Amino acid sequence: MLTRRTFLSAVSAGSMLGAGAGRVGAQQAADAPDRKRMAVVTTEWRYHSHAWHMAERFLHGYPIAGRWHRPPIDVVSVYVDQFPENDLSRQRSEEFGFPIFPTIAEALRVGGDELAVDAVLIIGEHGNYHRNEYGQTQYPRYEFFKAVTDVFRQDGRPVPVFNDKHLSWRWDWAREMVDISRELDFPFLAGSSLPVTWRMPSIDLPYGAEVEEMLCVAMGGVDSYDFHALETIQCMAERRRGGETGVAAVQGLRGEAVWDAMHGGDWASGGWDPRLFEACLSRSHTLAQPDTFSHRYPTPEQIQAWVKDPVAYRIEYRDGTRATMLLMNGLVGDFTFAARLKGQPDPLSTLFHLPPNPNVVYSAALMSQAEETFLTGQTPYPIERTLLTTGLVESCVRSLGEGSQRAETPHLDVSYQVSPASTFAQS
């Protein structure tokens, strides 16, 4: 892997495409009065990385509502932390005319003496970073954010910021990031594609509904896709009666403990409502099947045979609402949600639909929310959603790593209200 220092020392001034000028090449003219200027701060930029998913939406546009939308925003500077062999940042720099800078401060100032951008896109996902004893990858999102906000302080002007996925692997750092955004008074949006992707059926949790229990059945790994699944739950949970009140306790389960919970048959017995589990599997488009069989509901024995490493997070909200997140690789390859509402005989359920590679238009749906924040100065949903899901990831992986003990979470007393308006993609 090339280091950032090695790459930058090897690149000539000419190939940096006029760092001080902030030239935008194939993009729209940077001097257009109605166009914004954006800096990208990312861990790496390669095929299928989040920079490829997200930053490139601002280079060549994305499809939305049956048309190809080109944001009135120009990428005028980039900071890249690592350069793998399949790096794309240099190719994109040449193609679209933005310079790559050796520091975040220089990227935000576009080689000049003061802040010279109107928005910052922080992407701290992928790359070669340390994993701690709980399996958390220590991506430098906090460090990136602090470097960005140091420029805001020094230059006396903040601009809107979008942070990809959870805020940090550490709760206190995540809390500090939100506090800094409040102190400096700039729009701060974060999170994943799951809350804003398409749903099948295209429904939301009824605003103000009384929710008793929720379930998400998902795929993927701990400290990565668990965040997506928790955001799937939280974007629904926050709409319940009284709004969000925070989380009182969590418990992480793995392996045989998950099967014991499943056989428990209800929350009081350490498990979950089997009707919610059935509703989720009935919404899945990727439900596993035995060879040569058509679409059949799996038996408990088949589920246990197919899922080699099940993970469950049990979440107790401060208002008494309960939720379970299940990672069941081998059973499903998508994200489904179900909830039991008070007074309703059947669960509410839906599939959070993620269109396939390489188009991945769910990242376009997310970047449309970032674009709205950059252009209007207003976030479409509160940063507290991502703050809470950030804390849930940390607390749940720690519970897993500490013998699956139930852990009280007084620090997750995150309260907030959302608008009744839905923010997910709809046709």
Side-chain angles (χ1 to χ4, degrees), residues 217-220 281 284 286-288 307 328-336:
V217 180
M219 47 78 72
L281 297 195
S284 175
T286 59
L287 185 61
V307 182
M328 290 201 161
N329 298 307
L331 178 64
V332 298
D334 48 21
F335 293 77
T336 53

Side-chain angles (χ1 to χ4, degrees), residues 283-304:
R283 292 295 186 188
S284 175
H285 286 182
T286 59
L287 185 61
Q289 297 295 314
D291 291 341
T292 76
F293 284 85
S294 62
H295 206 176
R296 297 190 182 188
Y297 193 83
T299 66
E301 293 76 19
Q302 288 172 327
I303 294 172
Q304 289 183 236

